[in-house]
Amino acid sequence: MVNRKYNGKLILFGEYSMIFGSNALLMPYKSVGGNWNYIENNTNEEGIESNKNLLRYYDYLNNNERFKILDLKRMECDFNAGLFFDSNIPNGYGVGSSGALVAAIYDRYKIYEIQDINELISFLASMENYFHGSSSGIDPLQCYLGKPFILNGQQTTNNKHQILNQDFISENIHIFLIDTKIISPTSPLVNTFKENRKDKLYLEKFNNIYVPLVNSCISSLINKDDNTFFNLLLQLSTMQTEMLGHTIPENVKEFFFFDINKNHFQVKLCGAGGGGYLLGFTKDIEQTKRFWQNTEYQIHWVK
């Protein structure tokens, strides 16, 4: 078996709103990833801890009939022999640490391939629930496919996902990550979001304003309509401070109001938020670099 690398992922648009039927746009984050290794080849503490965690995860999978399409006997033998997932994807940063692991386990141990994309998403979600309490299944799908794609949120279509070319973004738009230096667990943020959506006015505003705005951001980006994209992105980022304010640390909230025409870049959530990375978009790499050089934050370029 080829020891494939499973890259991290970025949800450019659709975090939280895909639950409400919006589209989602995802791409690989190739600067980080993981692959299978054995402790005998790499005896560091991270490998030993990863192996212990995998043995606990095996117990979760083995106690649920749904996971019988995985070769659990071989999995148990491998984990007992010291197999671990050798990953440099940071935990709690919204870039697919658990998604890559789930994708790697499904890919290595599936007895047969799940052909229906909806069934695959559901299965991967049930695997990832172990880590987050509630998963959409989209993160591991991205890590498994390893290609940028749009997930169609409308359940009426048979085209659940659309694979994109690697150059689907305009050459004038550059993407970067801002390290908030805050490690944030996903589950409490998702639980707060679920409570908020029980409010009728909140739900209506999300459905009628926020979700269409997400879809418009995706359309303008992949259609390479740069000016429209940045106008919509500013609206979305501003709405995130209102609708998803609990996911934005106070010390970085000001960046969500930055306008590319004045500040050279714009910022939005990356993943579940709460810390980890923020997602930045800019047309001017040099101006953006100069800004962040004068702050306490480190940035990482994606494109």
Side-chain angles (χ1 to χ4, degrees):
M1 174 181 288
V2 176
N3 193 5
R4 171 189 164 188
K5 180 182 178 183
Y6 300 87
N7 292 118
K9 61 81 201 176
L10 293 173
I11 300 180
L12 298 185
F13 294 94
E15 67 288 303
Y16 292 104
S17 62
M18 69 178 75
I19 299 174
F20 288 83
S22 85
N23 296 337
L25 175 60
L26 297 92
M27 66 179 289
Y29 179 34
K30 295 185 177 180
S31 295
V32 295
N35 58 276
W36 293 111
N37 203 345
Y38 280 92
I39 290 174
E40 64 184 26
N41 299 326
N42 189 339
T43 57
N44 60 32
E45 291 183 10
E46 289 82 4
I48 294 171
E49 187 62 29
S50 171
N51 177 256
K52 289 179 180 177
N53 290 334
L54 285 173
L55 285 166
R56 287 191 283 268
Y57 186 45
Y58 163 78
D59 289 336
Y60 165 77
L61 297 174
N62 193 48
N63 288 322
N64 190 320
E65 285 294 323
R66 184 168 195 188
F67 302 124
K68 298 306 180 185
I69 75 160
L70 302 175
D71 190 343
L72 295 167
K73 289 184 178 179
R74 185 164 71 92
M75 185 188 300
E76 183 182 24
C77 290
D78 284 350
F79 292 170
N80 283 328
L83 187 71
F84 72 98
F85 192 58
D86 194 356
S87 171
N88 66 348
I89 306 174
N91 293 322
Y93 268 68
V95 289
S97 57
S98 62
L101 173 59
V102 167
I105 288 177
Y106 171 73
D107 196 22
R108 183 181 180 95
Y109 295 106
K110 64 182 184 292
I111 295 172
Y112 61 85
E113 182 77 60
I114 299 174
Q115 298 296 331
D116 182 86
I117 191 68
N118 292 322
E119 290 182 14
L120 178 58
I121 291 171
S122 176
F123 185 80
L124 294 174
S126 63
M127 289 182 67
E128 197 179 32
N129 284 344
Y130 172 83
F131 301 99
H132 299 315
S134 177
S135 167
S136 66
I138 304 308
D139 286 11
L141 179 68
Q142 166 60 68
C143 297
Y144 180 62
L145 295 177
K147 299 176 181 179
F149 68 87
I150 295 174
L151 186 80
N152 193 317
Q154 302 301 317
Q155 299 299 322
T156 56
T157 179
N158 291 324
N159 298 320
K160 184 66 176 175
H161 75 301
Q162 173 192 351
I163 300 293
L164 301 172
N165 294 327
Q166 297 293 339
D167 62 348
F168 71 95
I169 298 174
S170 165
E171 63 181 15
N172 298 317
I173 294 180
H174 305 279
I175 302 173
F176 61 98
L177 299 172
I178 306 153
D179 189 350
T180 66
K181 301 180 182 179
I182 300 171
I183 297 175
S184 177
T186 299
S187 186
L189 299 169
V190 173
N191 290 337
T192 299
F193 173 66
K194 287 180 177 179
E195 285 300 312
N196 289 342
R197 73 179 188 174
K198 293 178 181 178
D199 179 86
K200 183 179 179 181
L201 293 178
Y202 182 95
L203 187 61
E204 287 180 352
K205 189 167 188 177
F206 222 101
N207 278 338
N208 298 329
I209 301 177
Y210 190 93
V211 168
L213 189 54
V214 169
N215 290 340
S216 296
C217 281
I218 293 173
S219 296
S220 60
L221 182 63
I222 65 172
N223 289 328
K224 301 183 179 180
D225 186 353
D226 297 358
N227 291 332
T228 300
F229 169 71
F230 279 109
N231 288 333
L232 293 168
L233 178 58
L234 180 58
Q235 295 177 47
L236 180 68
S237 298
T238 302
M239 280 204 74
Q240 286 186 338
T241 65
E242 176 188 353
M243 307 297 291
L244 297 167
H246 70 285
T247 71
I248 305 173
E250 285 298 324
N251 61 324
V252 297
K253 192 167 284 188
E254 64 173 312
F255 300 135
F256 281 69
F257 299 100
F258 275 29
D259 184 336
I260 196 163
N261 295 312
K262 300 176 183 177
N263 310 102
H264 310 295
F265 66 87
Q266 289 175 209
V267 165
K268 66 173 292 294
L269 284 176
C270 178
Y277 290 126
L278 302 178
L279 198 57
F281 295 83
T282 182
K283 291 181 180 178
D284 193 326
I285 290 177
E286 294 306 317
Q287 289 273 23
T288 301
K289 283 181 178 178
R290 280 195 285 272
F291 175 88
W292 291 103
Q293 283 173 353
N294 298 320
T295 72
E296 62 185 293
Y297 302 100
Q298 184 178 7
I299 65 171
H300 306 277
W301 291 96
V302 176
K303 174 196 175 292

